[in-house]
Amino acid sequence: MKVSIFGTGYVGLVTGACLADMGHDVICVDVDESKVEKLNNGVIPIYEPGLESIVKNNFAAGNLKFTTKAEEAIAFAKLQFIAVGTPPDEDGSADLQYVLAVAETIATHMQDEKIVIDKSTVPVGTGDKVRAKIEGVLAERGVEIDFDVVSNPEFLKEGAAVGDFMKPDRIVIGCSKESSEAPMRELYAPFNRNHDKILFMDVRSAELTKYAANAMLATKISFMNEMANLAERLDADIESVRLGIGSDPRIGFQFIYPGAGYGGSCFPKDVQALTRIARDAGYDAELVQSVENVNNRQKHRLFEKLSAHFNGELAGKTIAVWGLAFKPETDDMREAPSRCLMEALWNTGAKVVAYDPEAQEECLRIYGERDDLTLVTNKDAALESADALVICTEWKAFRAMDYEAVVQKLANPVIVDGRNLYDPAIVKNYGITYYSIGRA
């Protein structure tokens, strides 16, 4: 099938590359000329395992193209994906200006029937707004062209997005016209061979499904962090508790790891947006609001533990930080716990020496060159003469600790482990002062 995708960000690029890899002909559109030029030259703007080779192979094969010419892409395909950003507005709601701008562009240039597919994470009712925008533009043009608006939310985990797209748990499609179901089923047929994973529903239910899924996962994380904070006060071990409750198949082991809080482009934004959606509907979503409150508080736990150890005297101290990205296998630092930690340290007059396998450039882009931030090329270099080590991201490279090297290199053998990577008993044997989440 022929497919046009507006947006070459995280969702748009993964969607376009994976559809092309299954044999569809895909054009990806972006207003950023520099980004399109880089993509046409084989430069991938994001780090996502497995994505680069798929993009390059399908670009070379001719079934994945990149352009800034919207009119060309609109004429190319019946299926028009909207995969642009929906950043949080000042009031916490999702900003739909980019989604509606694409809808207007499609309506301005469309000459034949189109299926407009919302792939962006959008509030319930956005499909109605997209439909109204297209109808309004067509009316201004004085033409009648058949179209439908479909909701097709993504469920991609950063660091595993290619696998999630290629082998989805479910494919949620919200249609208002029955005639749109056959083309959408044909589009996803290559991903649907093992058993039928497609869930057809109405547009509003599909839009709510995306928010409900992310809010549920965020709730599990915040709940475990709440229990971890309680475990510390009760002299219990949250890791034992995790095993105890995770063994219950109704709960399971996924998303119940205590830590320094969630971040990234989805959970913080979507939880906040869902709270606003509920408020606009006349409902006070207390649980969802509490999930956000717990997470915002949790992001400061690493600094609190560090500050308590040094009795609040952090000025002039150098703190080693392992991990800058909000999770492993990505360079994304949006809403990352590391940012809360570093900014709090800088406010006290402390310095940071940091290492991350992928997020170094992103950190430099966000904060620029500054005297109180040093980025090093390996984890051991960060330890040299630092007063403490803080682990913010559970990269695989950090899981096996050389405790003797830590004792030798650190000026003070102190570790604040925001991801509970190490066994407290083993760490203690090396004479290291060790703080983790929810464990004595």
Side-chain angles (χ1 to χ4, degrees):
M1 301 183 77
K2 291 185 177 181
V3 181
S4 295
I5 299 177
F6 283 82
T8 60
Y10 188 84
V11 175
L13 188 56
V14 172
T15 299
C18 291
L19 288 174
D21 204 47
M22 288 296 179
H24 295 305
D25 290 326
V26 180
I27 288 183
C28 291
V29 193
D30 204 294
V31 295
D32 188 334
E33 293 184 1
S34 174
K35 183 187 287 188
V36 170
E37 183 180 359
K38 288 179 179 178
L39 284 165
N40 282 323
N41 289 319
V43 179
I44 311 302
I46 60 173
Y47 174 76
E48 180 62 39
L51 180 61
E52 183 174 356
S53 61
I54 294 177
V55 171
K56 289 183 175 180
N57 291 342
N58 286 281
F59 180 82
N63 55 332
L64 178 61
K65 302 179 180 65
F66 301 99
T67 184
T68 58
K69 298 175 182 177
E71 191 171 355
E72 173 190 350
I74 294 165
F76 177 74
K78 178 179 179 179
L79 302 181
Q80 303 278 315
F81 276 87
I82 301 178
V84 294
T86 53
D89 221 333
E90 291 183 5
D91 61 359
S93 61
D95 186 350
L96 296 179
Q97 63 171 311
Y98 305 112
V99 170
L100 295 177
V102 173
E104 183 176 1
T105 300
I106 293 171
T108 300
H109 298 291
M110 61 189 285
Q111 301 296 330
D112 51 16
E113 181 184 0
K114 303 295 179 188
I115 297 177
V116 180
I117 305 160
D118 277 331
K119 196 70 174 172
S120 303
T121 300
V122 293
V124 179
T126 299
D128 297 334
K129 293 180 180 180
V130 170
R131 180 178 298 279
K133 173 64 74 174
I134 295 173
E135 287 175 344
V137 174
L138 292 179
E140 289 177 4
R141 290 175 56 194
V143 297
E144 291 186 11
I145 303 174
D146 192 26
F147 74 93
D148 191 20
V149 177
V150 168
S151 175
N152 177 214
E154 51 85 14
F155 299 96
L156 307 177
K157 299 186 296 292
E158 289 195 44
V162 172
D164 286 345
F165 199 102
M166 293 297 197
K167 297 180 180 179
D169 297 315
R170 75 285 206 200
I171 301 167
V172 174
I173 300 173
C175 296
S176 54
K177 290 184 178 181
E178 190 175 337
S179 60
S180 297
E181 291 187 11
M184 294 302 295
R185 186 175 287 280
E186 182 181 351
L187 176 71
Y188 282 110
F191 309 92
N192 202 35
R193 289 173 57 85
N194 185 277
H195 63 276
D196 192 0
K197 303 172 185 176
I198 297 179
L199 301 174
F200 283 109
M201 59 187 71
D202 63 276
V203 173
R204 283 177 170 251
S205 295
E207 291 170 339
L208 182 56
T209 296
K210 169 63 176 179
Y211 280 103
N214 278 356
M216 174 60 80
L217 297 175
T219 298
K220 293 182 75 173
I221 295 171
S222 281
F223 175 81
M224 283 305 292
N225 284 332
E226 194 95 284
M227 291 301 101
N229 295 335
L230 184 58
E232 290 182 8
R233 287 159 176 78
L234 298 175
D235 198 24
D237 184 346
I238 193 61
E239 287 300 312
S240 296
V241 176
R242 180 181 67 82
L243 295 173
I245 67 172
S247 301
D248 186 329
R250 296 169 300 176
I251 298 173
F253 287 104
Q254 289 189 314
F255 286 86
I256 62 168
Y257 286 91
Y262 59 75
S265 63
C266 294
F267 285 6
K269 173 176 69 71
D270 293 351
V271 169
Q272 192 177 57
L274 184 57
T275 304
R276 178 55 190 261
I277 291 169
R279 190 181 308 133
D280 290 346
Y283 181 75
D284 184 12
E286 297 177 69
L287 176 60
V288 181
Q289 182 62 63
S290 296
V291 168
E292 181 183 5
N293 294 343
V294 169
N295 190 63
N296 289 339
R297 184 174 66 222
Q298 195 70 14
K299 288 183 179 181
H300 297 281
R301 292 291 291 139
L302 300 182
F303 175 77
E304 290 167 1
K305 290 174 180 287
L306 203 57
S307 181
H309 175 82
F310 289 105
N311 298 314
E313 298 177 2
L314 286 165
K317 295 285 192 298
T318 297
I319 306 301
V321 174
W322 282 2
L324 297 168
F326 84 94
K327 63 178 287 188
E329 301 301 332
T330 182
D331 60 354
D332 195 343
M333 288 183 62
R334 283 174 287 186
E335 304 285 345
S338 64
R339 297 180 64 171
C340 289
L341 171 66
M342 291 192 296
E343 289 165 13
L345 287 170
W346 293 331
N347 286 337
T348 66
K351 295 182 179 181
V352 172
V353 181
Y355 169 72
D356 187 283
E358 294 295 338
Q360 309 269 102
E361 290 185 14
E362 179 65 6
C363 184
L364 198 59
R365 185 191 70 79
I366 294 170
Y367 293 113
E369 300 279 357
R370 46 187 302 155
D371 294 336
D372 49 9
L373 172 63
T374 302
L375 299 173
V376 293
T377 56
N378 62 74
K379 63 180 183 179
D380 290 337
L383 301 175
E384 294 288 350
S385 302
D387 294 288
L389 166 65
V390 183
I391 292 93
C392 290
T393 315
E394 62 274 31
W395 285 95
K396 291 177 182 177
F398 303 155
R399 292 183 184 177
M401 170 73 77
D402 184 346
Y403 299 106
E404 291 181 353
V406 169
V407 172
Q408 182 180 3
K409 293 177 183 293
L410 286 179
N412 296 295
V414 178
I415 297 175
V416 179
D417 182 1
R419 300 299 174 182
N420 287 2
L421 295 183
Y422 311 119
D423 185 329
I426 294 176
V427 180
K428 183 181 178 181
N429 287 338
Y430 286 88
I432 298 171
T433 302
Y434 180 67
Y435 303 96
S436 55
I437 305 296
R439 301 187 293 182

